[in-house]
């Protein structure tokens, strides 16, 4: 179940002209700083190295939809690899117990 489904929102349906994977990736990269370290590319050259990451990895059944895609710097994307977001945050020491939040 996605966050949008939990909140009762309708799933995001991109307009037909945005449905191409390349266009969706461009929009994600323009929209997001690195989702894991919050750094924005400092130049056009650096922006070209930014990647799109699947928050829930495709290898673990994650969808290839815009609500599962975030911009990520190459360092964070390599470090996360095909791990779940929770495992990645635990590895970095950033996961918070739900009872503490």
């Amino acid at each position: 179940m996605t966050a949008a489904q939990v909140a009762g929102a309708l799933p995001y349906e991109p307009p037909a002209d945005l449905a191409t994977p390349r266009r969706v990736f461009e929009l994600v990269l323009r929209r997001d700083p690195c989702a894991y370290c919050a750094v924005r590319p400092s130049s056009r050259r650096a922006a070209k190295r930014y990647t799109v990451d699947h928050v829930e990895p495709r290898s673990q059944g994650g969808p290839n939809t815009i609500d599962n895609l975030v911009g990520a710097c190459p360092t964070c994307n390599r470090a996360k690899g095909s791990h779940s977001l929770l495992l990645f945050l635990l590895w970095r020491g950033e996961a918070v117990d739900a009872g503490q939040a």
Side-chain angles (χ1 to χ4, degrees):
M1 185 174 281
T2 67
Q5 290 169 328
V6 171
L10 295 174
Y12 177 78
E13 294 290 333
D17 63 330
L18 301 181
T20 63
R22 182 174 186 82
R23 182 73 174 129
V24 171
F25 281 21
E26 288 172 2
L27 290 171
V28 169
L29 291 174
R30 191 176 314 143
R31 172 190 75 183
D32 296 342
C34 176
Y36 309 117
C37 69
V39 171
R40 287 197 178 271
S42 58
S43 66
R44 282 185 182 259
R45 184 174 179 200
K48 289 182 180 182
R49 290 181 291 195
Y50 264 54
T51 59
V52 173
D53 184 51
H54 292 84
V55 176
E56 184 180 342
R58 299 275 323 260
S59 63
Q60 295 179 15
N64 194 28
T65 58
I66 198 164
D67 54 343
N68 190 42
L69 299 174
V70 293
C73 70
T75 303
C76 289
N77 200 352
R78 274 192 304 275
K80 181 177 174 285
S82 62
H83 300 294
S84 70
L85 179 60
L86 179 60
L87 286 177
F88 176 65
L89 294 176
L90 284 170
W91 174 77
R92 285 181 41 168
E94 295 180 21
V96 176
D97 180 25
Q100 296 176 351

